[in-house]
Amino acid sequence: MRNFSLLFQKRCIICHEKKQFKYLLCEDCYEKLIFVDCYRDIDDTDCYFSLLHQGLTKKLIYDYKLSRKEVVRYFLADVISSKIKEKNLQDYTLLIVPSTKSTINRRGFDHIHEIAKEVANNLDMEYLPDAIVKVKETKIQHNLSQLQRIENLKGAFKVNADLSNRKILVLDDIVTTKNTLREIKRTLNGNYVDLKFVAVSSRSNEKYYNWV
Ligand SMILES: [Zn+2]
């Protein structure tokens, strides 16, 4: 049960003034976010996402990572949940792109795990939080060349569960260069019935289906 205050139940979580319209946002704030129906291709695997990573979207995700704001988590989880419903992926097993223990300790919480719990709860999906673990500390990707990025991520993840008879959906927050999702796919090594990715936002898109 969501326990945010009465004030936020009716008011937009961004401007705190106008009435909620969709995803806890008022119509004006909703219009400022760029909702899209796009996907990116991760070595022949679809990655669906709902927002372009710019402006207000960027700020919301950044604020959530820093502040753990509950209402923003609800917003992000609602956006992902409706994308999963739209693509009919509720019968997939949910996994996450994991962080290392030290990153989680530094941040004070596991931001993607918190979103995934909410999504699994919203859609009554099976969720295996520890099926993929991050076993190697990686450097911040954006300072590295493309080759260094691939090298940096090599061997970063380990699969900790038997997924061979499952359809799996791996959740991430932002898709930037695709290297992380590629490494996840490489680590899973075909041991699944089907694989899809879903994210809140992406820096770019490869194909527009429709503007939502
Ligand atoms: Zn608003």
Side-chain angles (χ1 to χ4, degrees), residues 75-93:
F75 161 76
L76 298 172
D78 284 0
V79 167
I80 289 193
S81 300
S82 73
K83 181 58 71 185
I84 292 173
K85 270 205 270 187
E86 184 193 314
K87 301 293 173 191
N88 270 323
L89 304 173
Q90 294 102 309
D91 64 332
Y92 280 59
T93 298

Side-chain angles (χ1 to χ4, degrees), residues 4-61:
F4 48 96
S5 74
L6 275 173
L7 175 74
F8 290 134
Q9 283 186 12
K10 298 275 191 276
R11 303 283 164 197
C12 167
I13 63 163
I14 295 178
C15 66
H16 300 174
E17 282 176 16
K18 294 176 202 124
K19 274 213 229 151
Q20 287 176 8
F21 161 69
K22 198 172 177 186
Y23 302 130
L24 312 175
L25 309 177
C26 72
E27 209 164 346
D28 291 346
C29 292
Y30 177 83
E31 293 295 322
K32 284 182 201 152
L33 297 173
I34 303 170
F35 279 93
V36 287
D37 182 16
C38 296
Y39 85 100
R40 294 184 72 180
D41 172 83
I42 314 293
D43 298 338
D44 296 326
T45 292
D46 285 346
C47 174
Y48 305 111
F49 62 96
S50 299
L51 288 158
L52 288 184
H53 198 66
Q54 54 192 52
L56 202 50
T57 298
K58 214 168 163 176
K59 188 183 172 306
L60 275 171
I61 295 178

